[in-house]
Amino acid sequence: LGNNKAALGGLGALAGAILGGGTKSAGGAVGGGALAMLASMALSALKNAGQTPTKPPAALTEPQTRDDELALENDAEVIVKAMINAAKADGKIDNAEVQKIVGKLDDGGLSQKEKDFFMSEANKPMDLNGVIASANNNPEMAAQIYAASLLAIEKDTAAEQSYMQQLASGLRLHPQVAAHIERTLGVA
């Protein structure tokens, strides 16, 4: 997507568009604010479970160096991919879901490159193991992935519930962390 602030803003807007399609409590989340919201929720959930994060998630700090910017862009991309993957939990993202999100992307002023990124990811097979691996054994990222995935779906089918259970287990999330995120989002 290109290594610049515009790409990061686009990923944030993409996250916001996807978030708007899921759980009602996240309907107002857009852009980079959505990424900061996820990071804040993850941090709170970890602290609530007695886990002390090694450092705050990238979305909660102002990038000071190019490496910081790259880390933030990577986190945003991981989160967007996790959300898209979660939307496939009931089998695939159907055409109506794609059109709903693409409409939001159009409204959000995203570039064609960013829309193409979404379409490319949406058309890939579900990859739970890839999502789990993208957390890189980082508890802060794991909690953000779990929260973002939960926001991307309604968790109202057995397939979605099973997906979220497998995701939490694979991410090695403490049950208190997952429960805190679910309560915060009104899904518990």
Side-chain angles (χ1 to χ4, degrees), residues 14-27 37-38 41 79-90 92-93 97 100-101 104 118 144-156 160 163-164 167 181 185 187:
L14 180 55
I18 297 169
L19 287 171
T23 304
K24 293 167 187 62
S25 64
M37 178 197 70
L38 289 171
M41 188 184 319
I79 288 166
V80 168
K81 286 180 177 181
M83 294 167 71
I84 294 168
N85 202 67
K88 300 173 191 175
D90 58 0
K92 66 177 188 134
I93 300 178
E97 290 171 316
K100 182 178 179 181
I101 294 170
K104 290 181 183 189
F118 167 77
Q144 289 178 76
I145 287 171
Y146 186 80
S149 297
L150 190 59
L151 284 168
I153 61 177
E154 296 294 335
K155 200 179 169 188
D156 59 351
E160 290 171 340
Y163 178 86
M164 293 306 297
L167 181 62
I181 292 169
L185 296 176
V187 181

Side-chain angles (χ1 to χ4, degrees), residues 61-69:
T61 60
E62 184 68 29
Q64 301 298 314
T65 66
R66 182 69 186 128
D67 286 346
D68 291 347
E69 288 178 13

Side-chain angles (χ1 to χ4, degrees), residues 100-120:
K100 182 178 179 181
I101 294 170
V102 168
K104 290 181 183 189
L105 300 182
D106 286 337
D107 294 344
L110 290 172
S111 72
Q112 189 59 47
K113 190 173 186 179
E114 292 154 352
K115 292 175 196 173
D116 290 346
F117 172 79
F118 167 77
M119 294 304 295
S120 172

